[in-house]
Amino acid sequence: MKARIRTALQYAERPALRATARAVVGPRVPAHELRRRPLRYWLPTLLLGAAAACLVASIFLPYWKLTLHAPQYPKGLHVHAYLDRMTGDVAEIDALNHYIGMRRLDEAARLERSLSIIAVSVIALLVAAAVFIHTRFAAYLSLPAALFPAAFLVDLQLWLRHFGTHLDPRAPLSQAIKPFVPPVLGQGFVGQFSTVARVEAGFHLALAATAAIAVGLYFHWRAYRPLAER
Amino acid sequence: MMRNPTAACRWFLAIVSLALMVGGTAVTGCQQQEKVEAPAQVHTVTGLGDDAGKVAQERNLTPHDVVAALKTYMPSGRLDDYVMFASGGHSGQVLVIGVPSMRLLKVIGVFTPEPWQGWGTGSVATEAVLRAGDPSGRKTSWGDTHHPALSETDGAYDGQFLFIGDKANSRLAVIDLRDFETKQILANPLAMSSHGAAFVTPNTDYVVEGGQYATPLGVRYAPIEDYQKSYRGLVTFWKFDRQKGRIDRDKSFAMELPPYWQDLCDAGKLESDGWVFCNSFNTEMATGGIEKNQPPFEAGVSQRDMDYLHIINLKRAAEVAAAGKVETVNGFRYIPLQTSIAEQLLYFAPEPKSPHGVDVTPGGEYLVVAGKLDPHVTVYSMAKIKDAIAKQSFEKKDPYGVPLLKFDDVKEVQVELGLGPLHTQFDAQGYAYTTLFLDSAVARWSLGGAYQSKHSDPPWKLLTKLPVHYNVGHLAAAEGDTTTPNGKYLVAMDKWSIDRFQNVGPLLPQNFQLIDISQPGDRLQLLYDMPIGIGEPHYAQIVKADKLHSWEAYPEVGWDPHQQAKHASATVIGKERVERKGNRVEVWMTAVRSHFTPEHVEIRKGDHVVWHITNVERARDATHGFALPYYNINLSLEPGETDTIEFDADRDGAFSFYCSEFCSALHLEMAGYMLVKP
């Protein structure tokens, strides 16, 4: 792959374009240099590759879990949020939520959920592409992935705020339960329920991807910076 | 280090990412401390402390009482190891009881309407089951349940189905243990009454219904003077279709028997597989008539020293029926008595007079007949029976030509136990247990033969008698009538309780007494008395609780429990509707905490109403009721269930319907109006 990009650059027709492309893609690693210090150049590649893999894998795992505890639910009620769907006791929680006039969980983050698989695939691909870019543009390509976990939590908290503060005033318990903001992480209380929200394996993978990107970019800088300055 | 802005930018990125990672991990790390309640600390009970001793003293409990309490007490939330299915007697129902706690878990509606379960109180499907069992055109609203029989695989309970007979009307019911609901009731087309139902063959191919009072076959009239000529006994073999969970009436058949009063039966197993045994009384063929100066039945049927144990070759009988050597009455096949004799399907063996139970040992080697009016139990050997039949060694024939085996040829041993032996059960230690009605006791005695090695007592010997209170009828040991008896517990089912409970008026509860049978030899301990205030139970069976695999809720929303499949008229939220075609109004309604949809059902007087209600709940225990006053309707809509009611709106008015099962904090608000315009 690397060889092919180099060839493409060499045979690019227009010199100006070729110069821009070279500025974005950055220097290639001479063969003798790669042989001399393979770890130096493979490390950023492996870390960024691992980050991309983590993100793709996270698609298949739950990101967030909400557990509701109440006396009449000895096993608790559980909702697992994946990037594109919610599983668990969604129907039961919807049934309970109607008492306080909360909208059905299915109505939350519809756009995000419909785009999430493609979006995460794309940002994972960008990270994978960053492997071949030996300039600061690698960092720009990795940025969406690095920020994804934070974006996820922020979006979720906004939805929780929206749901908790837009209760149907005609609901049976609208006098008893005032609008509230369920916490995206940690413990909350509503009625006889105590809720515990926590992130799950998918989120941990996304977070691992962020870490791998951060460390990978450092090694990336260490490996390719000297080549660019040469 | 910072050689240019680009580098600074890179560092910034790296630091931001790292901070994110570290911060995030810290946050998530905290969240993982989700509170999991630690299991209650277990204190090992090494000696009863001061508190316990004080309680025992205050309550006047002996050490023996305290041990009994410790053996039966269930802390809240602890589940029983065994489940007992007991006949509910003339309540017409089945009782489900946890053992050893003796807590009543459920009363399953069977032959009698049971409003809590919506059983026969308006639900079209349950009414259909009940009406299919009406023995005549008359709506029958009770039954006399006698002997429950759990379905078996290889002679061991499999926890799938339960059968029970109605003595009064000669009926049989099938209960599906996935939801503990009755699925089928059949009226015997030939017999008026039957005592010996139900007993199953080792793989539940057939459910055996022994007879009782002889009548002309097909429920007809014949003068009592023609008793010997026109009255007949009967045993019916109901073919069970396990796949469908139903008795297949067309593949079932009966055997015509002499007009003795057949009683309890048991199916052979292992050694005796393919055979069925029923005992009988009134081989005198007494016809009573005390008012005509004839001996009353009680005397007339007890004249002879011996009655006849019926030994039936079911395997061959099924072949004979399949070969079409049958006659039919009321569209039901039976093998005529003379055919049974000619085909060698039926043999008699003398048994001490007026016996009650005939019980097959776990390995099927022996049959134990309890004499009732004889202080012995008589043990017959299956090997000897087979041998005598092979040799065609008969004493004589009965008046109808049935070969009568010689008592001494087939008897293994007689064990003297006491007065009024009735029924026998078995355990895993090689012991048998027989109730003694007149002695008000349960006898433990040792088996011999193949069972000798299981215990260190002499064979065929009475070991001990434990007094019970009082007039014990049946008994049930844990899986005590299977090929794999479990032992540990036994329940004596006492007919009288006299002074055991608070006086609740002249009609006294029955008494189920739990007995610990886990110790060998003469050690039996009475643990607990459970009053039964709903009917007079007869037999019961006790199954290991882990063999039952019942649903927590119906498998999907819109379930028809009577077909165990999706209901044709199930509704989902958003699809509720009322449709009118002429004067036929059809309603599709949903129920969910805490409302019905629709809440107004507007119809006109004279409309014919078909009304489907689907409980769309998935939560365990989120059952809704549906009560419609003045129309005699109450449904139990368990999570996922769809049920249908159908009636003519013959009375106008504003009828408030409501949820009759306290479902939620807004349960009272779960109501609506059926508005019937004049």
Side-chain angles (χ1 to χ4, degrees):
Chain A
M1 191 72 164
K2 285 192 175 187
R4 207 173 288 167
I5 290 174
R6 193 161 56 221
T7 316
L9 286 171
Q10 279 167 359
Y11 290 95
E13 294 285 318
R14 292 159 64 183
L17 190 64
R18 195 161 63 193
T20 312
R22 196 181 294 278
V24 171
V25 172
R28 299 298 99 185
V29 185
H32 65 88
E33 173 71 5
L34 190 58
R35 271 197 304 277
R36 196 162 68 87
R37 291 191 288 188
L39 189 60
R40 185 182 180 86
Y41 300 102
W42 277 110
L43 207 52
T45 301
L46 288 174
L47 283 164
L48 293 178
C54 281
L55 272 175
V56 171
S58 79
I59 289 172
F60 304 100
L61 294 168
Y63 261 60
W64 185 74
K65 177 184 174 183
L66 181 68
T67 305
L68 289 82
H69 294 286
Q72 49 277 91
Y73 295 95
K75 292 177 185 166
L77 291 170
H78 309 273
V79 185
H80 300 273
Y82 289 71
L83 287 178
D84 61 334
R85 65 187 191 279
M86 276 169 283
T87 63
D89 302 309
V90 177
E92 184 63 16
I93 288 170
D94 278 340
L96 294 168
N97 279 345
H98 100 274
Y99 287 118
I100 60 170
M102 187 177 280
R103 293 163 63 190
R104 284 159 41 83
L105 296 185
D106 185 50
E107 293 173 17
R110 279 194 166 157
L111 179 70
E112 291 92 318
R113 282 187 286 128
S114 65
L115 295 177
S116 59
I117 302 295
I118 294 172
V120 170
S121 303
V122 167
I123 64 173
L125 277 176
L126 290 179
V127 176
V131 166
F132 307 104
I133 309 295
H134 298 163
T135 64
R136 65 178 187 279
F137 287 102
Y140 301 157
L141 288 177
S142 306
L143 194 57
L147 295 178
F148 182 70
F152 174 85
L153 286 183
V154 168
D155 187 59
L156 184 58
Q157 180 66 79
L158 290 175
W159 275 108
L160 288 169
R161 171 187 295 276
H162 179 78
F163 263 52
T165 54
H166 290 76
L167 301 178
D168 183 351
R170 298 186 313 163
L173 298 183
S174 60
Q175 293 308 305
I177 307 284
K178 295 300 173 197
F180 64 103
V181 181
V184 70
L185 293 171
Q187 200 165 31
F189 297 93
V190 54
Q192 79 269 40
F193 286 90
S194 74
T195 63
V196 177
R198 52 179 277 187
V199 290
E200 287 286 292
F203 187 87
H204 292 142
L205 275 183
L207 212 54
T210 298
I213 287 167
V215 179
L217 284 178
Y218 165 73
F219 286 115
H220 185 276
W221 172 80
R222 205 184 66 165
Y224 298 117
R225 176 76 191 164
L227 288 185
E229 285 175 350
R230 198 176 281 171
Chain B
M1 195 67 183
M2 299 292 162
R3 273 171 283 196
N4 59 35
T6 326
C9 178
R10 283 184 193 132
W11 272 109
F12 175 74
L13 250 180
I15 289 163
V16 166
S17 308
L18 270 172
L20 256 175
M21 175 185 76
V22 172
T25 311
V27 170
T28 57
C30 290
Q31 298 321 310
Q32 285 170 12
Q33 304 300 316
E34 190 178 326
K35 273 189 186 164
V36 179
E37 250 178 75
Q41 257 190 309
V42 179
H43 299 284
T44 313
V45 181
T46 46
L48 293 172
D50 289 348
D51 287 354
K54 202 172 150 207
V55 170
Q57 200 168 18
E58 278 172 7
R59 298 198 61 218
N60 197 21
L61 300 177
T62 65
H64 183 91
D65 296 335
V66 173
V67 170
L70 292 175
K71 284 180 177 176
T72 54
Y73 174 69
M74 284 287 166
S76 179
R78 190 81 61 86
L79 306 187
D80 284 300
D81 300 326
Y82 297 86
V83 174
M84 175 161 71
F85 293 90
S87 106
H90 30 7
S91 72
Q93 319 293 45
V94 165
L95 311 178
V96 187
I97 295 162
V99 175
S101 74
M102 302 307 278
R103 293 178 293 191
L104 178 65
L105 301 172
K106 197 170 210 174
V107 178
I108 304 175
V110 187
F111 295 106
T112 305
E114 206 295 306
W116 169 56
Q117 291 154 79
W119 181 248
T121 50
S123 154
V124 169
T126 68
E127 294 279 1
V129 173
L130 283 164
R131 298 292 74 82
D134 284 342
S136 60
R138 193 182 298 272
K139 190 168 172 175
T140 305
S141 56
W142 77 289
D144 187 9
T145 55
H146 268 247
H147 307 104
L150 286 155
S151 58
E152 294 180 6
T153 300
D154 297 330
Y157 300 150
D158 55 39
Q160 292 184 0
F161 295 93
L162 181 76
F163 308 91
I164 192 156
D166 163 26
K167 166 170 167 161
N169 303 290
S170 193
R171 294 185 292 172
L172 183 72
V174 182
I175 297 163
D176 189 333
L177 294 179
R178 282 174 291 185
D179 59 357
F180 281 56
E181 283 194 8
T182 306
K183 302 301 173 193
Q184 187 182 24
I185 297 177
L186 298 123
N188 194 313
L190 304 183
M192 172 75 67
S193 73
S194 67
H195 190 206
F199 298 90
V200 300
T201 54
N203 281 306
T204 325
D205 299 317
Y206 288 97
V207 183
V208 181
E209 180 191 5
Q212 185 85 103
Y213 308 117
T215 50
L217 291 189
V219 192
R220 292 177 299 107
Y221 170 78
I224 193 79
E225 291 73 22
D226 290 351
Y227 185 84
Q228 299 193 13
K229 181 171 148 266
S230 304
Y231 285 54
R232 285 294 175 268
L234 197 75
V235 60
T236 307
F237 302 106
W238 296 100
K239 181 85 181 109
F240 183 59
D241 183 335
R242 195 187 283 263
Q243 209 60 43
K244 289 187 182 144
R246 297 286 190 279
I247 298 285
D248 188 337
R249 189 183 185 276
D250 294 337
K251 289 185 180 160
S252 306
F253 66 97
M255 280 175 76
E256 179 190 19
L257 297 172
Y260 313 140
W261 291 356
Q262 285 77 28
D263 199 51
L264 298 186
C265 302
D266 200 0
K269 50 201 167 201
L270 300 174
E271 276 280 310
S272 45
D273 191 17
W275 295 80
V276 166
F277 314 96
C278 302
N279 47 34
S280 67
F281 57 110
N282 197 15
T283 49
E284 297 84 350
M285 293 188 278
T287 55
I290 187 170
E291 69 288 353
K292 298 173 188 164
N293 264 334
Q294 289 164 14
F297 274 116
E298 62 171 331
V301 305
S302 312
Q303 294 304 301
R304 303 179 56 201
D305 281 342
M306 289 286 188
D307 283 307
Y308 297 143
L309 171 66
H310 293 35
I311 299 164
I312 298 164
N313 189 334
L314 173 59
K315 190 165 169 243
R316 193 179 289 177
E319 291 162 8
V320 167
K325 296 173 187 172
V326 292
E327 290 181 17
T328 57
V329 166
N330 295 338
F332 195 80
R333 304 183 301 162
Y334 73 93
I335 302 174
L337 180 55
Q338 292 311 317
T339 307
S340 292
I341 296 167
E343 297 284 344
Q344 304 183 333
L345 308 181
L346 178 64
Y347 300 92
F348 289 160
E351 56 183 355
K353 72 176 176 184
S354 303
H356 216 44
V358 50
D359 299 289
V360 180
T361 52
E365 313 90 338
Y366 305 108
L367 330 173
V368 178
V369 170
K372 192 162 82 178
L373 299 183
D374 177 284
H376 298 88
V377 285
T378 304
V379 181
Y380 297 81
S381 153
M382 192 62 214
K384 290 181 179 176
I385 289 171
K386 284 180 179 169
D387 199 40
I389 290 172
K391 287 183 185 149
Q392 298 283 296
S393 162
F394 307 129
E395 188 171 317
K396 55 173 182 168
K397 294 187 174 181
D398 89 324
Y400 295 86
V402 180
L404 184 61
L405 304 172
K406 290 176 190 158
F407 185 63
D408 288 335
D409 279 358
V410 295
K411 179 195 75 176
E412 179 72 26
V413 67
Q414 284 191 298
V415 185
E416 184 169 346
L417 299 181
L419 297 179
L422 292 186
H423 301 284
T424 300
Q425 294 264 293
F426 306 94
D427 70 7
Q429 302 182 70
Y431 295 135
Y433 301 84
T434 301
T435 50
L436 303 173
F437 181 83
L438 299 173
D439 279 350
S440 275
V442 170
R444 173 190 260 177
W445 50 285
S446 58
L447 297 172
Y451 301 91
Q452 179 64 65
S453 60
K454 291 178 183 282
H455 56 75
S456 52
D457 299 283
W460 310 120
K461 189 172 181 298
L462 171 68
L463 299 175
T464 187
K465 287 199 266 187
L466 181 76
V468 291
H469 315 88
Y470 303 88
N471 291 357
V472 60
H474 275 275
L475 76 175
E479 311 204 344
D481 61 359
T482 70
T483 53
T484 52
N486 210 269
K488 198 154 181 177
Y489 299 112
L490 181 147
V491 173
M493 304 165 76
D494 306 320
K495 304 295 186 188
W496 285 21
S497 61
I498 309 180
D499 57 359
R500 293 293 109 172
F501 304 112
Q502 171 67 34
N503 185 5
V504 288
L507 179 62
L508 272 62
Q510 316 288 310
N511 190 8
F512 279 9
Q513 288 187 300
L514 179 70
I515 298 165
D516 180 348
I517 59 168
S518 58
Q519 302 302 312
D522 61 359
R523 278 175 288 167
L524 298 176
Q525 187 187 6
L526 181 62
L527 298 179
Y528 193 76
D529 286 12
M530 177 195 187
I532 302 292
I534 187 171
E536 189 211 276
H538 296 271
Y539 189 38
Q541 289 184 330
I542 300 173
V543 59
K544 281 275 285 169
D546 58 17
K547 285 190 178 174
L548 299 170
H549 303 286
S550 313
W551 290 328
E552 293 187 353
Y554 281 111
E556 51 184 302
V557 170
W559 194 259
D560 179 352
H562 305 286
Q563 302 302 323
Q564 297 294 38
K566 186 93 176 177
H567 197 290
S569 301
T571 323
V572 294
I573 284 180
K575 302 278 186 192
E576 301 93 343
R577 62 202 183 277
V578 180
E579 285 175 10
R580 169 180 289 280
K581 278 180 193 149
N583 73 336
R584 185 180 191 275
V585 177
E586 193 159 1
V587 182
W588 287 267
M589 177 181 260
T590 59
V592 71
R593 282 160 288 165
S594 307
H595 55 268
F596 294 105
T597 309
E599 290 184 332
H600 297 169
V601 175
E602 294 175 77
I603 54 180
R604 289 193 292 264
K605 186 177 176 181
D607 283 344
H608 181 72
V609 183
V610 181
W611 190 328
H612 317 284
I613 311 174
T614 300
N615 177 353
V616 300
E617 304 276 7
R618 298 314 289 145
R620 198 173 178 190
D621 214 351
T623 294
H624 295 292
F626 177 82
L628 182 59
Y630 278 69
Y631 281 88
N632 191 32
I633 285 168
N634 186 53
L635 303 182
S636 168
L637 301 157
E638 289 123 45
E641 179 172 352
T642 297
D643 210 347
T644 300
I645 52 174
E646 193 169 345
F647 57 91
D648 291 316
D650 49 14
R651 187 187 169 113
D652 57 78
F655 300 91
S656 54
F657 58 79
Y658 68 96
C659 173
S660 54
E661 179 95 16
F662 207 113
C663 60
S664 58
L666 293 168
H667 160 73
L668 294 181
E669 290 76 359
M670 188 165 173
Y673 285 97
M674 178 176 80
L675 300 157
V676 185
K677 286 179 208 151

